[in-house]
Amino acid sequence: GSSAATSVLLELISTELHLSLESAISGLAFPVSRDIFMSAAASLRRSISFHKSSKDAKAVMICCNLLLAVVDAMRIRYLGERSRIEKASYGVYEDDNEASTSKDDKGEADGSSGGKEEGMNSQLVEKLILGEDILPNGSADADFVAFPGDDNTGDESNNSVTSS
């Protein structure tokens, strides 16, 4: 409901969740913190949709603020991680260009295309974290991801990104 006690409880839980997520994002290994971020963002999206359908504007605002705070924490963590990796690898590849090129040639000769797909997935996550447009062809449709349990999906097992 939208009683005063429920609103206060939601604010307290939101504050505790914000602190816990920020600690996890900044303190855990990057892949783990990225997974926690993605899970939290999906959960908050469902919460926002639920509170919108309940016409609880205060709860929607609390969830939106929490989502923005978590996105900001992940953006800071990602930029720090990317900067750290670039600094660590700056001189390594200048001296070892020949070995790197021969590894790439060997990978293509083996016919492994898994690296390309993983690279594309990483670029998509990077764009999402940095707040860039990830919709295909600059589409203005902001609700293109179907999550399990959404009202507009009839299939509970559908975990993939779908276009609507």
Side-chain angles (χ1 to χ4, degrees):
S2 58
S3 70
T6 304
S7 184
V8 169
L9 180 61
L10 183 59
E11 287 180 26
L12 290 172
I13 290 172
S14 174
T15 301
E16 185 63 33
L17 188 57
H18 174 243
L19 295 173
S20 296
L21 287 170
E22 242 183 24
S23 295
I25 288 170
S26 64
L28 295 174
F30 184 75
V32 175
S33 65
R34 184 186 59 215
D35 290 347
I36 288 171
F37 162 75
M38 297 298 281
S39 177
S43 297
L44 286 168
R45 178 190 176 274
R46 285 192 287 274
S47 294
I48 291 167
S49 295
F50 171 77
H51 290 298
K52 271 186 182 177
S53 68
S54 300
K55 299 194 184 335
D56 188 353
K58 183 166 178 130
V60 169
M61 188 59 65
I62 289 171
C63 291
C64 285
N65 287 337
L66 179 58
L67 179 60
L68 291 174
V70 171
V71 166
D72 190 47
M74 189 65 206
R75 181 177 291 126
I76 291 168
R77 172 67 192 269
Y78 176 79
L79 292 173
E81 187 75 13
R82 188 167 75 174
S83 173
R84 185 186 65 79
I85 289 171
E86 286 174 359
K87 286 179 183 175
S89 66
Y90 177 67
V92 174
Y93 290 109
E94 286 180 358
D95 297 334
D96 201 23
N97 266 343
E98 219 171 276
S100 176
T101 304
S102 66
K103 276 188 202 175
D104 290 344
D105 292 342
K106 183 180 178 186
E108 289 176 8
D110 292 342
S112 63
S113 63
K116 287 182 181 179
E117 184 177 331
E118 185 64 31
M120 289 172 37
N121 290 341
S122 294
Q123 289 174 354
L124 183 63
V125 170
E126 178 180 343
K127 285 182 177 183
L128 180 67
I129 291 170
L130 294 175
E132 295 178 13
D133 186 15
I134 61 168
L135 298 176
N137 300 327
S139 171
D141 184 11
D143 192 25
F144 74 102
V145 179
F147 290 97
D150 281 353
D151 292 334
N152 59 353
T153 61
D155 184 9
E156 290 292 318
S157 65
N158 184 11
N159 289 331
S160 63
V161 175
T162 60
S163 297
S164 53

